[in-house]
Amino acid sequence: MSDEEELFSAVDALLEQAVRDPLPEPAERKRLREAAGLTQDQVAGALQTRREAVGNWEAGRTEPRPPKRAAYARLLEGLAARFPAPGPAGNTSTASAGPTATPAREAVSQTSAPHTAPAPHTAPAPAAAPRPAATSRSASTSRRPGAKTATPGKTTTAAAADPRFAHGPLAVIDVGADRKVVAYCTGGLVLDVPAKSIPALVDWTLQEAKLGQPKLSGPGKDADPLLVLTESALERYGLPTTLTEEERLAGRLPEGHKVIKQLARAEWKLTKRGFGPWARIYRPAQGSERACVQLCIPSWHALDSRHWGTAAQLPPAELARVLGTYASRVMTPCGSTAVTGLELMTALHPPTRASAPHADGTRHSEHNPGSLGKDPVDPAPCEAPDGHPLLADLPRFHIRGPGEKLLEEAYDWARPMTDAECTLRHLVGIDVNMAFAAGANGLIVGLGAPTHVKAPVFDPKLPGSWLVDLSHVDLSRVKVGKDTWADLDAGLLPSPFTPKGERPDGPAWYATPTVAYAVELGYDVAPIEAYVRYDNGRYLDAWYQRLRDAYLATMADLGVDADLAPADFLAAMDGYQERDPQLAIVVSAIKATVKGGLGKLRERPRGEGWRPGEPWRALARPTWRPDIRAAVISRTRINLHRKIVKHAAFTGQYPVAILSDCVVYAANGESPLDFLPYRDGKPLPGGFKLGINPGLVKHEGTQTVLWGEGVREQFDAPELNLARYIKDGTVTDADNGE
């Protein structure tokens, strides 16, 4: 072939490549998928790729490569034929049009009119991670004259799938500059609210507002609409903007309040928690029809600043965006993040379902397999916390030891630094992302009541609590592979069997993951007795997947993708919260939902005149399951210890301190890359890996070795847990009990 022919062939190849498999713009790719009611998971499954890859294609961060590109182009071409792009608003066909513009103060339902208002200024997201259209538009803090009406067809994905909830899961109720009550919905939609009282507001919400969220599972229930009342709305409807000290302690308004009397006259009821920060107003269900509205009152501390940051101080439109994003990715908030985390478990695995039709066509309610059922079960005595009715016969001041009580908790361990570590310059903390969520993933937990067994043979696949002596497990020689043993310095490692890292000195109660780890390390175990659960399953899998996807999607919006190289990941994590403070609030709330939901599985008495030996309210829930909480914590701690052992065996480096999911190492550099053993961009198999996925680690903080030794000397505490302060280096006297 001549040089000219060779050049022509190369050019022809370029031309062919340029016209092959054309793809629409990223925004159009997302529009087509949402118009078809498809999720990114469904598209990823069809194309045999990851959900994050589909998200990157829709955001324009990456492009699909052959052979997936051709298949993706075929999918989009087919969707475009079925769902053509809408023309100008005035020319949109009746079939595809959503709420239409009406004269001022006339509604889609004759009483409420949709508007969209200009978006407020927010910190720009990085160019690599533009916000998705469904969550980026926010309305102004009040409806302005001349605001544009909602564009026909512009609805959320949920609305497209279910017209009953066309205006999203929730609304923030506020009084505008013109003294008219308005509702700020998700997507920048603003509705006029004609209601003059709380009972009328509830009626309007259920009959005309088109608020709510579809159920998360087949046998489940649709989420009730949520109304968030600002201070101006509270004043308009005759409610106090803040609670008195007495009301705050009671958690509700007094029964004689005029608004509660209004609700009673209108035949509305309140749940047992009354009219508090998260009030639920309802009428008894008629068949499958529910009539229930939930209120969230930020000025009554409904949004805990530890988990929701400054959300309570946001303007109404921005608050609607924050809560709407959380609702679309997790679920509509129905209380604190802890309450919502627990309710999410039930929403994904409802206790009952409809039976198959009988001969006459009727059905009945039956147990939903894989759920915890509708009736609570008693824990094993070793699983019951102090004060539980099962322990009522114990002497009043009896303190149960490890041989009587299951004590599976997160790490709080530290040790003095060695001379060699003191010669290094820095202390670097790494933190496991969504550690407890990762611990729940794939975990087999009990679904029913425990069975007591004497001298059982240990089964790592059988969830339960085991009384076994693990004091013979020697960390100086452990198994780190199928046929590979490693010699370690046991004095520099915490025991995997106790929260304080101390080596057990006799029989103790452990959850299944802890005992299984002793076997994995190469040691035999001989349980004395056990409480096992033969009815079991992976109850938390769907819960984990929902929260994982919510976390990864929100972090991707903040510019932190799941497929970044280690150095790029560290750079992306630097200051990610400042890129969009509102989405950073959502990330905080998602993480709090994980920890709080698991904590609720063993909720303790909350006042109410409770005395030891008496039941408390939480015990009546089928989701009061201390054994499930213990199993998740056990697996999380074991997962962390396994990585620490692999790291020590490969590098000879040992942790200086561990607090829950944060581990501190001494290193010569300030970055995790200065001590994590990456080779050609690949981490140590089974060790720590930088990344945003649950179970991977991020940089928690760096301080100097001199700082660490100085703090310990200041408080005369050689084993002060430096992991507690590694993030910003701030240590106060209060932290150390002084």
Side-chain angles (χ1 to χ4, degrees):
M1 180 183 292
S2 66
D3 291 343
E4 184 179 44
E5 290 174 337
E6 185 176 351
L7 291 172
F8 281 177
S9 296
V11 170
D12 289 343
L14 283 176
L15 290 173
E16 180 182 355
Q17 183 178 2
V19 300
R20 184 181 60 193
D21 305 329
L23 296 175
E25 291 298 314
E28 177 65 4
R29 302 171 196 174
K30 181 175 182 178
R31 185 196 72 80
L32 290 171
R33 176 181 59 76
E34 292 183 344
L38 299 174
T39 65
Q40 290 182 346
D41 282 318
Q42 289 174 303
V43 174
L47 299 178
Q48 299 180 3
T49 188
R50 297 181 300 109
R51 183 198 62 78
E52 292 81 6
V54 177
N56 288 336
W57 299 344
E58 292 183 353
R61 289 188 285 271
T62 60
E63 290 292 317
R65 298 178 180 178
K68 293 181 175 61
R69 182 182 179 90
Y72 189 46
R74 181 182 177 86
L75 170 66
L76 296 176
E77 182 180 359
L79 294 178
R82 298 186 185 186
F83 306 100
N91 297 331
T92 305
S93 65
T94 305
S96 63
T100 56
T102 58
R105 303 301 168 191
E106 291 185 17
V108 182
S109 54
Q110 303 303 319
T111 56
S112 60
H115 308 274
T116 55
H121 173 74
T122 58
R131 300 178 198 162
T135 59
S136 61
R137 294 185 300 117
S138 300
S140 63
T141 56
S142 64
R143 185 185 58 80
R144 300 179 183 178
K148 296 179 181 180
T149 57
T151 303
K154 288 286 185 180
T155 58
T156 64
T157 304
D162 196 330
R164 296 175 301 160
F165 311 128
H167 296 155
L170 55 87
V172 179
I173 309 299
D174 188 47
V175 178
D178 55 1
R179 305 304 301 161
K180 299 296 184 180
V181 181
V182 291
Y184 290 85
C185 306
T186 57
L189 188 70
V190 183
L191 303 175
D192 291 335
V193 180
K196 305 297 184 184
S197 66
I198 289 294
L201 179 63
V202 174
D203 285 328
W204 171 82
T205 302
L206 292 173
Q207 296 171 15
E208 304 170 19
K210 295 185 179 180
L211 295 174
Q213 193 173 31
K215 58 189 178 182
L216 296 180
S217 66
K221 300 175 182 177
D222 297 328
D224 299 318
L226 173 66
L227 300 181
V228 185
L229 303 183
T230 65
E231 292 189 25
S232 62
L234 293 173
E235 292 176 346
R236 171 61 61 90
Y237 290 120
L239 292 165
T241 56
T242 58
L243 297 177
T244 65
E245 183 66 17
E246 183 179 354
E247 292 167 347
R248 187 186 64 80
L249 292 175
R252 66 184 72 189
L253 292 178
E255 293 298 320
H257 194 278
K258 63 179 182 179
V259 170
I260 297 180
K261 292 181 178 179
Q262 290 173 1
L263 290 168
R265 286 195 296 269
E267 299 183 345
W268 288 106
K269 298 180 180 294
L270 291 165
T271 57
K272 290 183 179 179
R273 62 184 175 184
F275 204 118
W278 289 95
R280 189 176 290 277
I281 304 170
Y282 73 100
R283 287 188 180 126
Q286 301 294 325
S288 62
E289 295 296 323
R290 290 167 57 84
C292 184
V293 173
Q294 176 137 337
L295 303 183
C296 168
I297 305 177
S299 64
W300 293 5
H301 304 291
L303 301 175
D304 191 327
S305 60
R306 293 172 299 175
H307 310 139
W308 289 101
T310 59
Q313 286 76 50
L314 290 176
E318 297 178 17
L319 180 56
R321 180 194 176 213
V322 168
L323 294 177
T325 302
Y326 178 90
S328 66
R329 294 179 176 178
V330 180
M331 68 178 294
T332 303
C334 50
S336 67
T337 50
V339 169
T340 303
L342 195 69
E343 289 298 318
L344 180 61
M345 297 179 195
T346 303
L348 293 167
H349 285 289
T352 60
R353 67 178 184 182
S355 69
H358 300 301
D360 59 359
T362 61
R363 301 172 184 263
H364 68 273
S365 177
E366 66 179 14
H367 173 69
N368 182 27
S371 75
L372 297 180
K374 62 179 181 179
D375 299 317
V377 297
D378 284 334
C382 62
E383 298 164 352
D386 294 337
H388 191 278
L390 286 177
L391 310 175
D393 294 336
L394 288 178
R396 183 175 179 184
F397 297 106
H398 177 72
I399 298 177
R400 294 188 295 160
E404 299 174 275
K405 181 179 181 179
L406 178 68
L407 187 62
E408 294 284 12
E409 299 294 343
Y411 267 131
D412 185 357
W413 170 87
R415 62 169 175 81
M417 282 186 276
T418 65
D419 292 342
E421 288 167 340
C422 288
T423 64
L424 302 177
R425 299 181 60 186
H426 298 285
L427 295 171
V428 183
I430 52 177
D431 180 80
V432 182
N433 296 311
M434 300 271 282
F436 294 100
N441 182 30
L443 178 66
I444 300 175
V445 300
L447 301 178
T451 299
H452 187 217
V453 183
K454 287 284 190 179
V457 176
F458 177 68
D459 183 352
K461 296 182 179 179
L462 186 60
S465 301
W466 309 78
L467 180 62
V468 58
D469 188 351
L470 299 180
S471 60
H472 64 290
V473 177
D474 184 3
L475 294 182
S476 63
R477 183 163 177 76
V478 297
K479 203 172 184 180
V480 293
K482 185 176 181 181
D483 298 307
T484 306
W485 290 76
D487 294 321
L488 304 175
D489 188 340
L492 302 180
L493 283 172
S495 167
F497 308 128
T498 61
K500 292 292 185 180
E502 301 164 343
R503 186 169 178 170
D505 56 7
W509 286 98
Y510 303 102
T512 297
T514 303
V515 185
Y517 186 55
V519 176
E520 179 184 326
L521 291 176
Y523 293 86
D524 295 329
V525 297
I528 302 168
E529 60 178 306
Y531 288 90
V532 297
R533 288 171 167 82
Y534 296 109
D535 179 13
N536 55 66
R538 292 168 60 158
Y539 174 71
L540 294 173
D541 273 12
W543 183 80
Y544 160 77
Q545 290 160 9
R546 180 82 177 174
L547 290 165
R548 174 206 62 193
D549 290 350
Y551 177 69
L552 292 180
T554 310
M555 290 302 295
D557 291 343
L558 287 164
V560 186
D561 292 311
D563 54 358
L564 293 173
D568 295 336
F569 167 71
L570 292 174
M573 286 294 294
D574 188 17
Y576 76 91
Q577 295 171 318
E578 283 71 40
R579 294 174 196 147
D580 190 326
Q582 294 174 23
L583 288 183
I585 292 174
V586 177
V587 170
S588 173
I590 292 170
K591 293 193 288 188
T593 302
V594 173
K595 289 188 176 181
L598 293 172
K600 277 281 184 180
L601 292 170
R602 199 193 66 164
E603 183 177 0
R604 302 303 305 276
R606 304 179 66 183
E608 303 173 352
W610 173 82
R611 293 184 178 182
E614 297 177 350
W616 57 93
R617 187 190 306 177
L619 300 187
R621 295 193 320 250
T623 49
W624 192 83
R625 292 295 301 272
D627 58 296
I628 295 180
R629 172 188 176 272
V632 173
I633 294 176
S634 164
R635 192 161 186 248
T636 302
R637 193 183 67 247
I638 293 307
N639 285 346
L640 183 60
H641 195 274
R642 184 182 292 111
K643 290 179 171 63
I644 290 170
V645 165
K646 291 287 180 67
H647 185 86
F650 188 82
T651 68
Q653 298 170 335
Y654 295 83
V656 171
I658 310 172
L659 182 67
S660 187
D661 48 10
C662 176
V663 188
V664 176
Y665 283 91
N668 263 328
E670 300 182 18
S671 167
L673 288 175
D674 290 315
F675 70 92
L676 293 182
Y678 273 83
R679 286 186 176 178
D680 300 324
K682 296 181 179 180
L684 170 68
F688 294 108
K689 178 182 178 182
L690 289 166
I692 199 59
N693 277 295
L696 306 189
V697 298
K698 62 180 181 292
H699 184 202
E700 178 69 2
T702 296
Q703 305 298 327
T704 65
V705 168
L706 289 177
W707 165 86
E709 288 298 277
V711 168
R712 286 177 166 178
E713 183 178 345
Q714 177 185 350
F715 294 103
D716 192 22
E719 297 183 3
L720 179 72
N721 195 331
L722 299 175
R724 193 181 305 276
Y725 319 108
I726 196 70
K727 189 166 189 176
D728 59 12
T730 302
V731 186
T732 64
D733 290 344
D735 292 327
N736 296 280
E738 298 185 10

